[in-house]
Amino acid sequence: MRRYSRITGTGSYLPPRRLTNADLVAELATQGVETSDDWIVERTGIRARHFAAPDVCSSDLALEAARKALEAAKLQAHEIDLIIVATSTPDMVFPSSACILQNKLGANGCAAFDVHAVCSGFVYALTVADAMIQNGAASKALVIGAEVFSRILDFKDRTTCVLFGDGAGAVVLEASETPGILATDLHADGKHVGILCVPGHVSGGAVLGDPVLKMDGQAVFKLAVGVLEDAARAVLAKANLTEADIDWLIPHQANIRIMQSTARKLKLPMDKVVVTVDQHGNTSAASIPLALDHAVRAGKVKKGDTLMLEGVGGGFTWGAVLLNF
Ligand code: ACO
């Protein structure tokens, strides 16, 4: 009998410090950086973001989200046999945030590693976990996106610092006789490294280069809307389904205009798109599982619904996962 994987629990966590656009505008003004609630809302749809306290790392946010997902799946941490954390803001250069999280959870002994695909990280991690469950390498996986992007922002650059926030989202993915995950599709094109990157690195005990986020927003926008449509069509074709079969589109929460454009191309009304970017900004790898968990807990996404998850981000990377919830 074929083995599939299925999401059996979701969880998410946003750190308590919440800054509305007005709060951020006031804070940036003290440093001579001018922006406005109107500009941020009109161009991005973002109304607030959460920033983690200085001593809080991605694994701490991941821990809170993971505990909620485990509770929803009615599992204990020691029953988990695989942990994948998608993050571009790990606690340390090494070991992985997944290993640090594993110890905090008390799930010691299971396989644990990070996936680094920036804002596509969660769809990459989910695809890897699905493959490992299908081939028998794992049976009960925790797949998490967790980020502290506030650590890599340049608060003098208004074109980027208003866009991002911190948070985590998690799912428990279990082996199942029925799908579950129906199709996955991943891509990358390294020739676009320069349009979205944090070019600094550690060498000889010092940070060399510029360790804050650089983005060519318009180039990212153009690429994102094209590849998100392609990835969606690819997974639909693999699963022999059409746009009409999608109950919920859960795209990477970067910008409402990218989501609207993707929905338009797929001929989906916006009331079939899960939108939470207004509440937490772009949380990179955390944004898809965060949005999924919010929609599940709000009673929107129900068991049996067909979900299209889509990520796009630095690399350039992109991908989609089509699943039966
Ligand atoms: N407040 C006020 N004005 C601003 C701000 C700000 N925060 N930022 C830029 N501006 C100004 C610019 O200086 C420019 O002024 P000018 O016309 O006088 O020169 C004007 O606003 C327009 O700037 P643009 O860059 O052309 O604005 P645009 O409409 O392209 O919007 C944005 C910028 C929101 C970044 C858009 O390009 C975008 O959404 N890109 C995609 C970004 C994204 O989603 N990235 C994440 C995806 S991948 C990942 O998640 C890591």
PDB file of all heavy atoms in Angstrom, residues 288-308:
ATOM      1  N   ILE A 288       3.909  31.058   5.901  1.00  0.00           N
ATOM      2  CA  ILE A 288       2.877  30.123   5.408  1.00  0.00           C
ATOM      3  C   ILE A 288       2.283  29.306   6.562  1.00  0.00           C
ATOM      4  O   ILE A 288       1.055  29.249   6.701  1.00  0.00           O
ATOM      5  CB  ILE A 288       3.437  29.234   4.281  1.00  0.00           C
ATOM      6  CG1 ILE A 288       3.790  30.099   3.067  1.00  0.00           C
ATOM      7  CG2 ILE A 288       2.439  28.144   3.900  1.00  0.00           C
ATOM      8  CD1 ILE A 288       4.553  29.366   1.971  1.00  0.00           C
ATOM      9  N   PRO A 289       3.119  28.679   7.417  1.00  0.00           N
ATOM     10  CA  PRO A 289       2.490  27.938   8.520  1.00  0.00           C
ATOM     11  C   PRO A 289       1.771  28.842   9.520  1.00  0.00           C
ATOM     12  O   PRO A 289       0.794  28.423  10.143  1.00  0.00           O
ATOM     13  CB  PRO A 289       3.671  27.192   9.173  1.00  0.00           C
ATOM     14  CG  PRO A 289       4.892  27.933   8.741  1.00  0.00           C
ATOM     15  CD  PRO A 289       4.577  28.486   7.380  1.00  0.00           C
ATOM     16  N   LEU A 290       2.231  30.090   9.657  1.00  0.00           N
ATOM     17  CA  LEU A 290       1.509  31.048  10.508  1.00  0.00           C
ATOM     18  C   LEU A 290       0.112  31.304   9.943  1.00  0.00           C
ATOM     19  O   LEU A 290      -0.892  31.249  10.657  1.00  0.00           O
ATOM     20  CB  LEU A 290       2.259  32.387  10.507  1.00  0.00           C
ATOM     21  CG  LEU A 290       3.016  32.829  11.744  1.00  0.00           C
ATOM     22  CD1 LEU A 290       3.861  34.048  11.417  1.00  0.00           C
ATOM     23  CD2 LEU A 290       2.069  33.145  12.878  1.00  0.00           C
ATOM     24  N   ALA A 291       0.063  31.576   8.646  1.00  0.00           N
ATOM     25  CA  ALA A 291      -1.229  31.859   8.003  1.00  0.00           C
ATOM     26  C   ALA A 291      -2.131  30.627   8.064  1.00  0.00           C
ATOM     27  O   ALA A 291      -3.338  30.733   8.338  1.00  0.00           O
ATOM     28  CB  ALA A 291      -1.000  32.289   6.552  1.00  0.00           C
ATOM     29  N   LEU A 292      -1.545  29.447   7.828  1.00  0.00           N
ATOM     30  CA  LEU A 292      -2.324  28.205   7.882  1.00  0.00           C
ATOM     31  C   LEU A 292      -2.921  28.028   9.275  1.00  0.00           C
ATOM     32  O   LEU A 292      -4.126  27.756   9.422  1.00  0.00           O
ATOM     33  CB  LEU A 292      -1.418  27.009   7.530  1.00  0.00           C
ATOM     34  CG  LEU A 292      -2.006  25.624   7.782  1.00  0.00           C
ATOM     35  CD1 LEU A 292      -3.239  25.384   6.921  1.00  0.00           C
ATOM     36  CD2 LEU A 292      -0.965  24.530   7.512  1.00  0.00           C
ATOM     37  N   ASP A 293      -2.093  28.199  10.304  1.00  0.00           N
ATOM     38  CA  ASP A 293      -2.584  27.980  11.670  1.00  0.00           C
ATOM     39  C   ASP A 293      -3.673  28.991  12.033  1.00  0.00           C
ATOM     40  O   ASP A 293      -4.682  28.625  12.652  1.00  0.00           O
ATOM     41  CB  ASP A 293      -1.425  28.066  12.668  1.00  0.00           C
ATOM     42  CG  ASP A 293      -1.892  27.770  14.084  1.00  0.00           C
ATOM     43  OD1 ASP A 293      -2.527  26.708  14.288  1.00  0.00           O
ATOM     44  OD2 ASP A 293      -1.655  28.596  14.985  1.00  0.00           O
ATOM     45  N   HIS A 294      -3.486  30.248  11.627  1.00  0.00           N
ATOM     46  CA  HIS A 294      -4.521  31.254  11.910  1.00  0.00           C
ATOM     47  C   HIS A 294      -5.839  30.842  11.249  1.00  0.00           C
ATOM     48  O   HIS A 294      -6.906  30.955  11.854  1.00  0.00           O
ATOM     49  CB  HIS A 294      -4.086  32.631  11.416  1.00  0.00           C
ATOM     50  CG  HIS A 294      -3.117  33.313  12.341  1.00  0.00           C
ATOM     51  ND1 HIS A 294      -3.134  34.663  12.598  1.00  0.00           N
ATOM     52  CD2 HIS A 294      -2.106  32.815  13.091  1.00  0.00           C
ATOM     53  CE1 HIS A 294      -2.173  34.967  13.462  1.00  0.00           C
ATOM     54  NE2 HIS A 294      -1.528  33.860  13.767  1.00  0.00           N
ATOM     55  N   ALA A 295      -5.742  30.368  10.008  1.00  0.00           N
ATOM     56  CA  ALA A 295      -6.963  30.003   9.271  1.00  0.00           C
ATOM     57  C   ALA A 295      -7.628  28.759   9.875  1.00  0.00           C
ATOM     58  O   ALA A 295      -8.855  28.666   9.908  1.00  0.00           O
ATOM     59  CB  ALA A 295      -6.624  29.762   7.799  1.00  0.00           C
ATOM     60  N   VAL A 296      -6.822  27.824  10.360  1.00  0.00           N
ATOM     61  CA  VAL A 296      -7.382  26.619  10.998  1.00  0.00           C
ATOM     62  C   VAL A 296      -8.092  27.022  12.292  1.00  0.00           C
ATOM     63  O   VAL A 296      -9.238  26.648  12.539  1.00  0.00           O
ATOM     64  CB  VAL A 296      -6.266  25.586  11.289  1.00  0.00           C
ATOM     65  CG1 VAL A 296      -6.773  24.468  12.190  1.00  0.00           C
ATOM     66  CG2 VAL A 296      -5.726  25.019   9.981  1.00  0.00           C
ATOM     67  N   ARG A 297      -7.410  27.830  13.105  1.00  0.00           N
ATOM     68  CA  ARG A 297      -7.983  28.194  14.403  1.00  0.00           C
ATOM     69  C   ARG A 297      -9.163  29.144  14.262  1.00  0.00           C
ATOM     70  O   ARG A 297     -10.024  29.198  15.141  1.00  0.00           O
ATOM     71  CB  ARG A 297      -6.901  28.772  15.329  1.00  0.00           C
ATOM     72  CG  ARG A 297      -5.994  27.645  15.826  1.00  0.00           C
ATOM     73  CD  ARG A 297      -4.788  28.081  16.595  1.00  0.00           C
ATOM     74  NE  ARG A 297      -3.828  26.988  16.634  1.00  0.00           N
ATOM     75  CZ  ARG A 297      -3.725  26.090  17.625  1.00  0.00           C
ATOM     76  NH1 ARG A 297      -4.489  26.190  18.677  1.00  0.00           N
ATOM     77  NH2 ARG A 297      -2.840  25.107  17.555  1.00  0.00           N
ATOM     78  N   ALA A 298      -9.231  29.875  13.154  1.00  0.00           N
ATOM     79  CA  ALA A 298     -10.390  30.755  12.906  1.00  0.00           C
ATOM     80  C   ALA A 298     -11.574  29.961  12.330  1.00  0.00           C
ATOM     81  O   ALA A 298     -12.629  30.526  12.072  1.00  0.00           O
ATOM     82  CB  ALA A 298      -9.990  31.870  11.946  1.00  0.00           C
ATOM     83  N   GLY A 299     -11.357  28.672  12.088  1.00  0.00           N
ATOM     84  CA  GLY A 299     -12.449  27.833  11.561  1.00  0.00           C
ATOM     85  C   GLY A 299     -12.652  27.973  10.061  1.00  0.00           C
ATOM     86  O   GLY A 299     -13.639  27.480   9.512  1.00  0.00           O
ATOM     87  N   LYS A 300     -11.694  28.651   9.383  1.00  0.00           N
ATOM     88  CA  LYS A 300     -11.829  28.803   7.919  1.00  0.00           C
ATOM     89  C   LYS A 300     -11.413  27.505   7.239  1.00  0.00           C
ATOM     90  O   LYS A 300     -12.181  26.904   6.496  1.00  0.00           O
ATOM     91  CB  LYS A 300     -10.912  29.925   7.427  1.00  0.00           C
ATOM     92  CG  LYS A 300     -11.384  31.323   7.761  1.00  0.00           C
ATOM     93  CD  LYS A 300     -10.402  32.310   7.133  1.00  0.00           C
ATOM     94  CE  LYS A 300     -10.776  33.730   7.393  1.00  0.00           C
ATOM     95  NZ  LYS A 300      -9.736  34.640   6.880  1.00  0.00           N
ATOM     96  N   VAL A 301     -10.178  27.085   7.456  1.00  0.00           N
ATOM     97  CA  VAL A 301      -9.672  25.849   6.842  1.00  0.00           C
ATOM     98  C   VAL A 301     -10.194  24.664   7.647  1.00  0.00           C
ATOM     99  O   VAL A 301     -10.006  24.598   8.869  1.00  0.00           O
ATOM    100  CB  VAL A 301      -8.125  25.850   6.818  1.00  0.00           C
ATOM    101  CG1 VAL A 301      -7.597  24.467   6.503  1.00  0.00           C
ATOM    102  CG2 VAL A 301      -7.617  26.849   5.792  1.00  0.00           C
ATOM    103  N   LYS A 302     -10.871  23.759   6.936  1.00  0.00           N
ATOM    104  CA  LYS A 302     -11.478  22.600   7.614  1.00  0.00           C
ATOM    105  C   LYS A 302     -10.894  21.304   7.063  1.00  0.00           C
ATOM    106  O   LYS A 302     -10.368  21.269   5.946  1.00  0.00           O
ATOM    107  CB  LYS A 302     -12.987  22.619   7.387  1.00  0.00           C
ATOM    108  CG  LYS A 302     -13.656  23.846   7.976  1.00  0.00           C
ATOM    109  CD  LYS A 302     -15.160  23.680   8.019  1.00  0.00           C
ATOM    110  CE  LYS A 302     -15.798  24.904   8.642  1.00  0.00           C
ATOM    111  NZ  LYS A 302     -15.593  26.139   7.824  1.00  0.00           N
ATOM    112  N   LYS A 303     -11.042  20.250   7.873  1.00  0.00           N
ATOM    113  CA  LYS A 303     -10.563  18.927   7.459  1.00  0.00           C
ATOM    114  C   LYS A 303     -11.186  18.562   6.108  1.00  0.00           C
ATOM    115  O   LYS A 303     -12.389  18.768   5.897  1.00  0.00           O
ATOM    116  CB  LYS A 303     -10.956  17.899   8.521  1.00  0.00           C
ATOM    117  CG  LYS A 303     -10.035  16.714   8.525  1.00  0.00           C
ATOM    118  CD  LYS A 303     -10.160  15.878   9.776  1.00  0.00           C
ATOM    119  CE  LYS A 303      -9.510  14.517   9.587  1.00  0.00           C
ATOM    120  NZ  LYS A 303      -8.256  14.484   8.851  1.00  0.00           N
ATOM    121  N   GLY A 304     -10.339  18.082   5.190  1.00  0.00           N
ATOM    122  CA  GLY A 304     -10.835  17.697   3.863  1.00  0.00           C
ATOM    123  C   GLY A 304     -10.667  18.787   2.820  1.00  0.00           C
ATOM    124  O   GLY A 304     -10.769  18.513   1.621  1.00  0.00           O
ATOM    125  N   ASP A 305     -10.390  20.015   3.239  1.00  0.00           N
ATOM    126  CA  ASP A 305     -10.189  21.105   2.267  1.00  0.00           C
ATOM    127  C   ASP A 305      -8.922  20.866   1.433  1.00  0.00           C
ATOM    128  O   ASP A 305      -7.934  20.305   1.932  1.00  0.00           O
ATOM    129  CB  ASP A 305     -10.027  22.456   2.983  1.00  0.00           C
ATOM    130  CG  ASP A 305     -11.361  23.019   3.455  1.00  0.00           C
ATOM    131  OD1 ASP A 305     -12.413  22.435   3.110  1.00  0.00           O
ATOM    132  OD2 ASP A 305     -11.346  24.040   4.171  1.00  0.00           O
ATOM    133  N   THR A 306      -8.967  21.339   0.186  1.00  0.00           N
ATOM    134  CA  THR A 306      -7.777  21.285  -0.673  1.00  0.00           C
ATOM    135  C   THR A 306      -7.037  22.621  -0.559  1.00  0.00           C
ATOM    136  O   THR A 306      -7.613  23.682  -0.830  1.00  0.00           O
ATOM    137  CB  THR A 306      -8.179  21.013  -2.137  1.00  0.00           C
ATOM    138  OG1 THR A 306      -8.857  19.758  -2.161  1.00  0.00           O
ATOM    139  CG2 THR A 306      -6.968  20.946  -3.050  1.00  0.00           C
ATOM    140  N   LEU A 307      -5.776  22.540  -0.137  1.00  0.00           N
ATOM    141  CA  LEU A 307      -4.985  23.753   0.118  1.00  0.00           C
ATOM    142  C   LEU A 307      -3.827  23.850  -0.857  1.00  0.00           C
ATOM    143  O   LEU A 307      -3.144  22.858  -1.119  1.00  0.00           O
ATOM    144  CB  LEU A 307      -4.412  23.747   1.536  1.00  0.00           C
ATOM    145  CG  LEU A 307      -5.346  23.430   2.714  1.00  0.00           C
ATOM    146  CD1 LEU A 307      -4.585  23.596   4.032  1.00  0.00           C
ATOM    147  CD2 LEU A 307      -6.567  24.336   2.701  1.00  0.00           C
ATOM    148  N   MET A 308      -3.600  25.050  -1.355  1.00  0.00           N
ATOM    149  CA  MET A 308      -2.416  25.339  -2.174  1.00  0.00           C
ATOM    150  C   MET A 308      -1.503  26.241  -1.347  1.00  0.00           C
ATOM    151  O   MET A 308      -1.845  27.388  -1.067  1.00  0.00           O
ATOM    152  CB  MET A 308      -2.861  26.078  -3.448  1.00  0.00           C
ATOM    153  CG  MET A 308      -1.732  26.663  -4.258  1.00  0.00           C
ATOM    154  SD  MET A 308      -0.883  25.454  -5.245  1.00  0.00           S
ATOM    155  CE  MET A 308      -2.056  25.230  -6.583  1.00  0.00           C
TER     156      MET A 308
END
